[in-house]
Amino acid sequence: DVQLQASGGGSVQHGGSLRLSCTASMFDMDYYAVGWFRQAPGKEREGVSCIDSASSGDVTYYANAVKGRFAIFRDKAENMLFLQMNSLKPEDTAVYFCATDYQYDCNNWQSDYWSQWGQGTLVTVSS
């Protein structure tokens, strides 16, 4: 099975930036759609962003709450996925996860079908 690992979380102030990374073993990050999700304390997990496979055009998708502030992208050479988070808000505080389901596109990406999850990384944004 694929092994995913998110990293790069930390504590920042309102308006700050962080870049999250996701590494994978036994998995070509470029070959399938991959997504970022988050779970805030006491809340359900929610989709943050998704990127289609390279063969599907690397199309990106964002939750309304992060659109214009976050950017998802890959480094094919390093086989890594990233989430650049700018203009962070206290409501962005959550554990962030990367995930895949061996699909080629992000169709219905905000649904709860993702099967392969990595360990999360905590992002804390203070006001």
Side-chain angles (χ1 to χ4, degrees):
D1 284 346
V2 62
Q3 292 185 352
L4 300 170
Q5 177 69 56
S7 62
S11 296
V12 297
Q13 291 191 328
H14 189 174
S17 297
L18 281 174
R19 177 176 291 185
L20 305 184
S21 303
C22 177
T23 57
S25 62
M26 306 297 289
F27 181 75
D28 184 344
M29 197 72 80
D30 200 45
Y31 195 71
Y32 295 105
V34 283
W36 284 101
F37 299 79
R38 67 186 181 186
Q39 187 164 20
K43 295 188 177 181
E44 292 188 353
R45 188 171 57 202
E46 63 177 355
V48 175
S49 184
C50 184
I51 183 169
D52 281 347
S53 65
S55 64
S56 294
D58 289 325
V59 182
T60 57
Y61 305 84
Y62 298 94
N64 288 336
V66 306
K67 202 171 292 184
R69 299 188 296 122
F70 290 12
I72 187 171
F73 59 98
R74 293 185 180 94
D75 183 323
K76 183 176 181 178
E78 297 294 327
N79 196 37
M80 293 181 69
L81 176 72
F82 297 94
L83 184 69
Q84 178 66 41
M85 306 187 297
N86 299 326
S87 302
L88 283 161
K89 304 175 181 180
E91 51 263 45
D92 295 319
T93 294
V95 177
Y96 285 70
F97 304 86
C98 50
T100 188
D101 193 58
Y102 301 113
Q103 306 291 329
Y104 296 115
D105 59 48
C106 296
N107 192 32
N108 293 321
W109 67 278
Q110 290 176 300
S111 300
D112 189 21
Y113 64 78
W114 298 76
S115 61
Q116 308 296 319
W117 295 88
Q119 289 188 323
T121 186
L122 176 63
V123 172
T124 303
V125 185
S126 58
S127 57

